[in-house]
């Protein structure tokens, strides 16, 4: 399918989705978010794809939700249209691992989009922020909830109340991103992480994603029960048998997603 605001490239086992509204620093509008969800659903349904990377440009992953699309809206417009809600629900249903490769600005909805991915690899040029307060609003795509879980209350409050940006080093130190690399190496690093994931059993990768996500949703006891059930279920797969046999035979496992 031809897209207007994103570029999709499927190579080997990896789908790379590049946000592509350079004139607006990849600001997220309804078209972009709709296209992004369609591309994610296609990648999720494509047997050839085992991991997905979402990235932006060197200057901006995404500088937020598109302010020009929101500026004239009323409470009633926002409430009745479920603005961006369908898209965030669709995003949450993707089962394959998604890596955010962030260079430059990841602000407002851009920071929230990165946090909706499974983990974030940042270029040393990355800047994260929730500056919605400067516009007289607050975050609306999960920023108050997810950022707080990632970096703790004090830093999340600081970010949301002052609107200041966090650089890549601070973001890594605070647990918002998993790794920081020189900007030139960002895509190679994301690709290498995606290749590593693609080598694994897809069933185990999906189960790991499912179980880690559960940690955000439930109590420790419920989460541990959930993990235990998924762990036990792995023993119904050929991939478990292959993985453990390959280890004892001192060879690489050949997973078949069965
Ligand atoms: N929306 C629309 N256009 C944007 C946005 C944006 N978020 N960010 C940048 N642009 C546009 C600019 O208007 C400009 O366009 P033009 O050339 O036509 O004037 C172009 O991109 C380049 O931007 P700048 O000239 O401003 O570039 P600078 O390098 O000087 O500054 C900044 C870069 C610091 C990133 C600056 O552009 C900026 O502050 N942008 C806005 C950041 C922001 O406030 N983001 C939060 C937006 S609100 C939000 O995300 C809420 C999400 C919740 C939605 C929930 C729905 C349920």
């Amino acid at each position: 399918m031809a897209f207007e605001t994103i570029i999709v490239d499927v190579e080997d086992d990896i789908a790379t989705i590049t946000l592509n509204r350079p004139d607006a620093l990849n600001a997220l509008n309804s078209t972009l978010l709709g296209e992004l969800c369609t591309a994610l659903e296609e990648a999720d349904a494509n047997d050839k794809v085992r991991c997905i990377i979402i990235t932006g440009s060197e200057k901006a992953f995404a500088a937020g939700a598109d302010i020009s699309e929101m500026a004239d809206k009323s409470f009633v417009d926002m409430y009745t249209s479920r603005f961006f809600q369908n898209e965030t629900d669709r995003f949450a249903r993707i089962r394959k691992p998604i890596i955010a490769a962030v260079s430059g600005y990841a602000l407002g909805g851009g920071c929230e989009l990165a946090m909706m991915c499974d983990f974030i690899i940042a270029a040393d040029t990355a800047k994260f922020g929730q500056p919605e307060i400067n516009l007289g609003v607050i975050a609306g795509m999960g920023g108050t909830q997810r950022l707080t879980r990632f970096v703790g209350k004090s830093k999340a409050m600081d970010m949301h109340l002052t609107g200041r940006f966090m650089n890549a080093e601070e973001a890594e130190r605070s647990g918002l991103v998993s790794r920081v690399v020189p900007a030139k190496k960002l895509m190679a690093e994301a690709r290498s992480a995606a290749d590593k994931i693609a080598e694994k059993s897809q069933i185990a990768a999906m189960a790991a994603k499912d179980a880690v996500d559960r940690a955000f949703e439930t109590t420790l006891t419920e989460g541990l029960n959930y993990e235990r059930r998924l762990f036990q279920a792995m023993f119904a797969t050929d991939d478990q048998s292959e993985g453990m046999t390959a280890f004892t035979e001192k060879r690489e496992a050949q997973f078949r997603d069965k």
Side-chain angles (χ1 to χ4, degrees):
M1 181 172 165
F3 295 113
E4 212 183 294
T5 59
I6 59 170
I7 298 165
V8 181
D9 174 52
V10 178
E11 198 188 332
D12 301 327
D13 302 317
I14 317 299
T16 302
I17 303 175
T18 306
L19 311 184
N20 187 36
R21 294 189 69 212
D23 294 345
L25 301 184
N26 294 330
L28 311 173
N29 61 12
S30 305
T31 306
L32 186 149
L33 278 183
E35 290 188 345
L36 175 61
C37 290
T38 300
L40 285 169
E41 285 158 357
E42 286 176 1
D44 216 28
N46 182 345
D47 288 342
K48 289 194 198 112
V49 173
R50 303 175 69 82
C51 189
I52 301 164
I53 300 170
I54 300 180
T55 193
S57 67
E58 214 178 301
K59 181 165 179 186
F61 177 74
D66 193 317
I67 297 166
S68 57
E69 191 178 30
M70 293 184 295
D72 294 331
K73 293 211 186 292
S74 65
F75 164 75
V76 174
D77 296 332
M78 285 298 193
Y79 187 72
T80 55
S81 70
R82 302 182 86 242
F83 191 69
F84 285 3
Q85 238 175 287
N86 291 333
E87 291 81 0
T88 49
D89 291 352
R90 286 170 72 190
F91 195 110
R93 283 196 290 272
I94 304 302
R95 301 191 68 198
K96 289 180 184 166
I98 307 173
I99 301 171
V102 175
S103 177
Y105 297 111
L107 304 177
C111 185
E112 294 170 307
L113 176 65
M115 291 190 288
M116 283 157 59
C117 298
D118 295 315
F119 63 98
I120 303 172
I121 299 180
D124 52 6
T125 56
K127 291 175 206 64
F128 298 87
Q130 299 287 166
E132 289 92 338
I133 196 148
N134 298 330
L135 302 168
V137 294
I138 67 167
M141 269 169 65
T144 62
Q145 305 305 298
R146 288 201 177 91
L147 188 64
T148 309
R149 282 165 162 84
F150 280 116
V151 306
K153 176 180 168 181
S154 190
K155 214 174 263 291
M157 282 288 191
D158 180 0
M159 305 288 292
H160 283 285
L161 292 175
T162 67
R164 79 171 174 89
F165 300 165
M166 197 190 265
N167 66 21
E169 189 273 324
E170 185 181 3
E172 186 183 31
R173 179 158 37 88
S174 327
L176 176 58
V177 312
S178 71
R179 341 176 172 175
V180 177
V181 293
K184 282 198 174 64
K185 297 196 170 146
L186 177 66
M187 290 317 291
E189 187 77 9
R191 180 78 204 198
S192 137
D195 285 340
K196 272 262 168 290
I197 294 167
E199 288 167 9
K200 318 294 182 204
S201 159
Q202 195 167 94
I203 312 167
M206 282 180 176
K209 169 170 171 151
D210 191 9
V212 173
D213 277 341
R214 192 47 71 112
F216 286 84
E217 304 287 347
T218 191
T219 64
L220 180 60
T221 304
E222 287 304 319
L224 290 171
N225 279 335
Y226 193 76
E227 178 194 81
R228 197 171 296 128
R229 290 285 172 262
L230 279 176
F231 173 75
Q232 291 161 348
M234 295 296 108
F235 287 75
T237 68
D238 292 350
D239 283 349
Q240 170 272 327
S241 169
E242 165 63 9
M244 294 192 177
T245 305
F247 178 82
T248 48
E249 291 175 356
K250 300 190 187 306
R251 60 172 175 80
E252 287 289 314
Q254 302 295 321
F255 294 118
R256 290 169 39 245
D257 304 331
K258 289 187 188 319

